[in-house]
Amino acid sequence: MTAMSHQLTIEPLGVTIEVAEGQTMLDAALRNGLYLPHACCHGLCGTCKVQIADGEVDLGDANPFALMDFEREEGKALACCATLLDDTVIEADIDDEPDAEIIPVKDFSAEVVRIEQLTPTIKALHLRLNQPIHFQAGQYIQLEIPRLHQNRAFSIANSPADVAATGMIELNIRRVPGGEGTAYLHEKLAVGDRIRLAGPYGRFFVRKSANQPLVFMAGGSGLSSPRSMIRDLLQEGCTQPITLVYGQRSTDELYYDAEFLELAERYPNFSYVPALSESAADANHPVVQGFVHEAAKSHFTNNFSGHKAYLCGPPAMIDACITTLMQGRLFERDIFFEKFISAADAQQVRSPLFKKV
C-alpha cells in the first residue's frame, strides 16, 4: 500500500482494493474493474448508496436529497463522492447481470475532429481518442470541461463497431440553459482542440441473451444511447424486432431522422416511430402528433408484452413511459432506463418501485 492510501473491502464481493487519498470509492472500484451501481457520479441521484460496515469516510458533496440525514446517521454514504479516512468495509447492492461486461475505467485524451450542429440546441462532437476504448453500447464517458475543472457525463452516440473502425467517439451535447459546461462546449470548443475524458461508465446496455423483441423510447438529446445500441444490434445481425419511438418538440429538433428512416428501409426488423409534441404538420414524412409514451401506446395498441424496453431522456418522459409500459402489460424486470439527472431533478422523489436510474 502506498503512502496516504487506504484499503477498501467491498462486500458481498469480498474483494479488497487500494484507494488513493482524495479518490472516491466509486472511482477506485471502477478503475479496478469492479462494478458498483451508479448513475450521475455527482452525488445527486443516490444510485451509488452503500452501507459503511467498518471504517471511516468523508461523505463529500453528497446532495441532502440523495443522502438524507437519517441515512448519514445509519452509516450510509454515496460511493461517487465519499473518500476514505481509514481502511473501510462497505456493503453494496450488486445485482448479477450476465450480459454486463466489466470494463475498467481508463483516462483518455482526444482531439476534436469535427463539430456538427444537429439541431438549434444540440451539437455533435467527433473526438479522436489517443488509444482504443472498449465499451458496451449504451455506456457513457465523463468529459473534462477545459478551464472549468468540471466533468460532465455524455453517452457515446456511435456503436462499438463504429468507434473501432474510425477511432472516434461521437457525443451529442444539448446546450443547457444557464449551464457553464455545455455553454463552453457550444461556444468555445473548436476543431483541433484537445480534451480529456474518462470511461466507460454506466450499466445501460442491451440484455442480448434475453433474445426478445426490443422497444427503445427516447426524448430530446436522449437519443445518444439508443442510437448506439440500435446500430450495434443491427451491425451484429440481430433478427428480433427492434422499434425506436423518438420524440422531440418540432421537426428542426428531430435529429438523425434521415438515418433512422434509411435503417428502417434497409433492415426489415427495425421500425422507426418519430413523434412531435408541438407541430407535426410541417414534417415531410409521417410522424405521430404527441409525446413519446402516447406514440408508443398507439403503435403497440397498448400491448408491450414480451418486449424488453429501454428508455432514455428527461425524468418526466421516463416516468410517463414507465406508466404506459406497465399499463400495457410490461413489468419492472423488462424495463431499463437512463435519466438525465440535474440538481433540480435530484429534489424529486423517484418511484419506489424502481432501483434503476
Side-chain angles (χ1 to χ4, degrees):
M1 187 168 66
T2 61
M4 307 305 288
S5 66
H6 297 291
Q7 299 284 300
L8 174 66
T9 300
I10 302 171
E11 299 294 354
L13 300 178
V15 176
T16 299
I17 60 174
E18 185 177 329
V19 183
E21 182 181 19
Q23 184 180 28
T24 67
M25 293 190 288
L26 178 62
D27 186 64
L30 296 177
R31 289 177 184 276
N32 279 276
L34 301 171
Y35 177 79
L36 292 179
H38 63 281
C40 75
C41 295
H42 295 292
L44 297 174
C45 70
T47 305
C48 64
K49 199 170 294 174
V50 296
Q51 177 70 48
I52 307 299
D54 189 34
E56 188 179 359
V57 305
D58 180 338
L59 295 178
D61 192 23
N63 184 286
F65 294 94
L67 189 66
M68 304 280 189
D69 287 343
F70 76 89
E71 293 176 313
R72 296 167 193 249
E73 292 167 8
E74 290 173 352
K76 290 185 168 58
L78 300 186
C80 75
C81 52
T83 55
L84 301 193
L85 300 174
D86 197 357
D87 290 349
T88 299
V89 179
I90 63 171
E91 295 170 358
D93 183 13
I94 302 173
D95 294 327
D96 181 33
E97 287 278 10
D99 289 288
E101 289 186 58
I102 306 302
I103 306 167
V105 167
K106 294 181 180 179
D107 294 311
F108 299 84
S109 67
E111 178 189 357
V112 181
V113 175
R114 192 162 86 253
I115 300 175
E116 291 179 84
Q117 190 80 45
L118 297 177
T119 79
T121 59
I122 299 173
K123 284 188 175 183
L125 300 185
H126 297 265
L127 307 175
R128 180 176 289 118
L129 302 180
N130 66 327
Q131 60 177 313
I133 184 171
H134 179 53
F135 71 101
Q136 282 187 275
Q139 290 191 296
Y140 65 90
I141 57 90
Q142 290 279 356
L143 191 69
E144 184 180 303
I145 310 297
R147 303 179 199 170
L148 297 182
H149 306 293
Q150 297 173 351
N151 293 329
R152 294 288 185 274
F154 298 105
S155 297
I156 300 173
N158 44 351
S159 72
D162 295 337
V163 174
T166 64
M168 291 192 289
I169 62 169
E170 179 183 340
L171 309 177
N172 299 158
I173 297 174
R174 180 178 68 89
R175 178 156 189 178
V176 178
E180 276 188 306
T182 58
Y184 181 92
L185 297 174
H186 270 251
E187 294 175 7
K188 307 287 188 186
L189 196 68
V191 170
D193 286 357
R194 296 203 69 82
I195 199 162
R196 298 183 61 80
L197 56 98
Y201 291 95
R203 238 185 195 197
F204 190 54
F205 58 88
V206 176
R207 275 65 179 176
K208 294 178 181 176
S209 64
N211 201 30
Q212 290 176 249
L214 306 104
V215 54
F216 293 89
M217 301 164 76
S221 56
L223 189 59
S224 300
S225 294
R227 178 178 183 245
S228 177
M229 296 155 107
I230 290 166
R231 288 182 64 85
D232 181 53
L233 287 165
L234 296 175
Q235 287 163 348
E236 286 188 349
C238 173
T239 56
Q240 287 288 348
I242 302 168
T243 305
L244 169 63
V245 186
Y246 171 50
Q248 279 281 21
R249 284 190 294 268
S250 56
T251 52
D252 63 347
E253 294 179 312
L254 203 64
Y255 70 104
Y256 288 127
D257 183 58
E259 176 180 310
F260 287 116
L261 288 171
E262 191 273 329
L263 288 174
E265 282 282 325
R266 197 189 330 165
Y267 295 96
N269 61 319
F270 175 60
S271 301
Y272 171 50
V273 184
L276 296 176
S277 59
E278 289 184 358
S279 174
D282 57 346
N284 58 10
H285 61 83
V287 298
V288 177
Q289 177 77 59
F291 293 101
V292 172
H293 65 285
E294 295 167 333
K297 181 177 181 177
S298 173
H299 182 80
F300 286 92
T301 58
N302 200 29
N303 183 2
F304 301 94
S305 180
H307 284 75
K308 293 284 187 191
Y310 298 88
L311 323 180
C312 193
M317 186 215 94
I318 298 289
D319 293 342
C321 288
I322 289 170
T323 300
T324 296
L325 289 166
M326 295 184 80
Q327 288 172 346
R329 299 171 59 194
L330 210 60
F331 304 101
E332 179 187 357
R333 67 177 181 271
D334 297 313
I335 302 172
F336 307 91
F337 57 91
E338 182 176 64
K339 285 184 181 179
F340 294 123
I341 303 291
S342 69
D345 298 328
Q347 299 181 21
Q348 298 177 9
V349 178
R350 287 182 292 136
S351 167
L353 293 174
F354 286 84
K355 294 184 293 182
K356 310 182 193 78
V357 166

